[in-house]
Amino acid sequence: MQNRIADILASAGAGAEVVINGWVRTRRDGKGFSFFEVNDGSCLSGIQAVVPGTLGNYESQLAHVTTGSSVRVRGTLVDSPGQGQKYELQASEVFVYGMAPSDYPLQKKKHSLEYLREIAHLRPRTNTIGAVARLRNSLSYAVHSFFQERGFFYVHTPIITASDCEGAGEMFRVSTLDIDNPPRVEGGGIDYGKDFFGKPANLTVSGQLEGETYAMAMGRIYTFGPTFRAENSNTARHLAEFWMIEPEAAFFRLKDDMDLAEDFIRCLCKHALDNNKDDLEFFNRRVSPTVISNIESAASQSFERITYTEAIDKLLSSGNQFQYPVSWGVDIQSEHERYLTEVIFKKPVIVYDYPKEIKAFYMRLNDDGKTVGAMDILVPGIGELVGGSEREDRVDVLISRMRDFGLDESKYWWYLDLRKYGGAPHAGFGLGFERMMLFVTGLQNIRDVIPYPRYPGNAEF
Ligand code: 4AD
Ligand code: MG
């Protein structure tokens, strides 16, 4: 029987016979024995194996085991005399699967997160990235349980699409044309009729538009998948490939949408607190001393809700000097978002009813003719975590909004059909999974919370 260290620490007791498989973090030698600190990735803690010099392969092999080597240890759990661990493993047999030569890049010392990004294939063997990976797994599970328990169906929207959901044009082209010598139409433009799909196609920036079609048939749906944005923003909050959760619900208004999003974030936070205690304590100790209190506060307090107009007033009356000056109609910048959530309210804030000019074409125009039923959720340390809205369900208003944005409405014929045939109010939002991961880990850079980050100039691994 093989045991995972997480299971051993959770349920085995002193005297148990166990077999662990893992990687040696360090070897220390005593008189006639060695200590191997073994970690198997199942949890933050490793187990210290006490390896006696009397083992047959001790002199020839075990005394030379290096950091990074993979081993199997059989032995008996005994109460540990050492600090910081409950048990150690008195080894009766140690098998070495593979040694790690001295050029192993993860020698026992503190490595910077920047350095670890350069060895992204090995970094899950570190405490920090291992804890990130366990939290990602745990929150993914929580995403599905949250929606499944509330009657939302999981829908798989396409990755390759011919429509631009956000209308922002920041898309990656998908093509099989010969870039060096593409077919041309008369006049010199590229002949996309000869491309794989017979027209220009891209990687999706959001599953929302297709998600809406299923909500307008099944009531409540959600997507959870990768999305792609070719925005050239080299920031600690943006990735070119990120994961988004997008629920969409028929007959929901903006208020229902805000309630759902708030409940969702609260449940994710609660799930992490209930299931990832060791990893969260590690982040609190090693990364940011406020991470647990931020999660606890998001899990228990209700979020502040203010209109965009009120938010602008608050920022103006704060007297604070911002790099980007504030006035009604400007897009709220990251510095403003953080000021609202971190300084003014000190908790998550939902800002709603934004000027129509700064939001996407599909958001429902309010009766004032100036604002749309949009909402963003801002959280301490991050800024925008969620963007959502009630959707424009009046076909004439939607068409005129598309024209305002310079979009070709004929390309959105199927999206307009939803309004033409049995149209109804509906709403949804998108939560950036990596931004949520930043919130629960306290890490500063989004490149550290996804296994293989994609950003301008980087697609290694
Ligand atoms: O605000 P966004 O652009 O909204 C949408 O895509 C809508 N279609 C969602 C919907 O209503 N169904 O993006 C939603 C969230 C943002 O709040 C942010 O958390 C995250 O996605 N996000 C990014 N995360 C990492 N890197 C990027 N480049 C991101 N762009 C957006
Ligand atoms: Mg947004």
Side-chain angles (χ1 to χ4, degrees), residues 196-222:
F196 190 90
F197 298 105
K199 58 174 160 179
N202 302 288
L203 294 179
T204 188
V205 296
S206 157
Q208 178 196 322
L209 302 190
E210 292 89 350
E212 282 185 49
T213 67
Y214 270 71
M216 293 305 287
M218 307 184 70
R220 300 175 182 190
I221 66 95
Y222 69 105

Side-chain angles (χ1 to χ4, degrees), residues 158-171:
I159 303 285
I160 300 174
T161 171
S163 37
D164 179 0
C165 172
E166 294 306 301
E170 292 165 329
M171 298 183 294

Side-chain angles (χ1 to χ4, degrees), residues 217-229:
M218 307 184 70
R220 300 175 182 190
I221 66 95
Y222 69 105
T223 71
F224 183 8
T227 45
F228 307 87
R229 298 206 181 167

